[in-house]
């Protein structure tokens, strides 16, 4: 849970990071200087990742290796896309600030589409949750009304088999919904 929250936080800060680095590159700064400027203006967790990158680079690691280490630490797909773009640009050449702007636009568009998908599927996800909880609530209600009838389910062999089958089908149904 903490890892996924951290990855989401990094993903939400990545567009701003790319814009800051791109603007610094346009102003004439070198790549590592641009990253350093961006790190000063951002907040954790992406600030921490940029500081680790700068530290690795200052200690003698190749820039490409320090960037790859940043991807491994963050676990972010968007970060991987950014680093791959930077590494390819460093190999082939081109305008890095323009390329980073394109990557930022791609990430921004992907986030917008994911938000639309979440909005369009919200009703179906709520329905799936209700349908998944309905049998459990109904079983508890029946147990409250008539515990002697419900005890048959865990006291008899056939009842236990039925509970296992029902539980398995309920899990499969919840996963398919």
């Amino acid at each position: 849970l903490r890892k996924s929250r951290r990855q989401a936080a990094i993903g939400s800060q990545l567009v701003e990071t790319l814009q800051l680095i791109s603007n610094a590159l346009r102003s004439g700064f070198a790549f590592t200087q641009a990253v350093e400027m961006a790190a000063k203006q951002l907040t954790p967790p992406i600030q921490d990742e940029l500081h680790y990158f700068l530290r690795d680079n200052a200690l003698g690691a190749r820039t490409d290796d320090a960037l790859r280490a940043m991807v491994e630490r963050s676990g972010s797909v968007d970060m991987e896309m950014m680093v791959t773009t930077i590494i390819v640009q460093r190999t082939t050449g081109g305008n890095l600030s323009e390329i980073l702007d394109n990557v930022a636009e791609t990430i921004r568009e992907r986030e917008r589409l994911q938000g639309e998908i979440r909005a369009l599927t919200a009703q179906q996800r709520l329905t799936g949750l209700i349908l998944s909880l309905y049998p459990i609530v109904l079983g508890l209600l029946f147990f409250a009304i008539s515990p002697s009838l419900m005890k048959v389910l865990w006291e008899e062999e056939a009842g236990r088999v039925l509970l296992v089958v029902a539980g398995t089908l309920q899990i499969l149904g919840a996963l398919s919904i």
Side-chain angles (χ1 to χ4, degrees), residues 4-172:
S4 64
R5 282 185 185 166
R6 186 172 189 278
Q7 287 173 347
I10 287 174
S12 68
Q13 292 178 305
L14 201 55
V15 172
E16 182 182 4
T17 303
L18 289 169
Q19 289 174 337
L20 289 170
I21 293 172
S22 175
N23 291 339
L25 288 170
R26 268 194 211 96
S27 297
F29 288 97
F31 177 70
T32 53
Q33 292 172 325
V35 171
E36 189 175 346
M37 286 186 62
K40 289 178 182 175
Q41 297 178 20
L42 295 167
T43 59
I46 198 139
Q47 181 187 49
D48 298 336
E49 289 300 327
L50 295 177
H51 282 303
Y52 290 142
F53 162 75
L54 292 168
R55 183 201 62 201
D56 290 348
N57 204 1
L59 291 175
R62 291 182 39 230
T63 303
D64 294 357
D65 294 336
L67 287 168
R68 285 188 189 101
M70 187 168 63
V71 169
E72 289 176 22
R73 279 190 309 269
S74 71
S76 169
V77 175
D78 292 335
M79 179 80 78
E80 184 175 0
M81 181 171 45
M82 177 191 83
V83 166
T84 302
T85 303
I86 292 169
I87 291 172
V88 168
Q89 184 278 334
R90 289 173 59 84
T91 305
T92 61
N95 186 351
L96 183 57
S97 63
E98 188 176 316
I99 292 170
L100 292 178
D101 286 339
N102 291 338
V103 171
E105 183 60 33
T106 301
I107 293 171
R108 195 177 300 116
E109 184 66 20
R110 216 171 84 187
E111 287 174 356
R112 186 189 65 78
L113 287 173
Q114 287 174 344
E116 282 184 31
I117 289 170
R118 278 193 302 276
L120 291 172
T121 61
Q123 182 178 358
Q124 289 79 10
R125 286 184 283 127
L126 179 63
T127 301
L129 178 65
I130 291 170
L131 289 176
S132 297
L133 295 176
Y134 183 70
I136 296 168
V137 171
L138 199 57
L140 292 173
L141 180 66
F142 286 160
F143 183 75
I145 292 172
S146 179
S148 61
L149 285 175
M150 292 299 287
K151 284 183 183 178
V152 173
L153 286 175
W154 52 82
E155 289 178 351
E156 301 288 329
E157 182 65 29
R160 287 190 291 269
V161 169
L162 286 174
L163 279 176
V164 169
V165 169
T168 303
L169 291 175
Q170 186 65 24
I171 291 170
L172 290 173

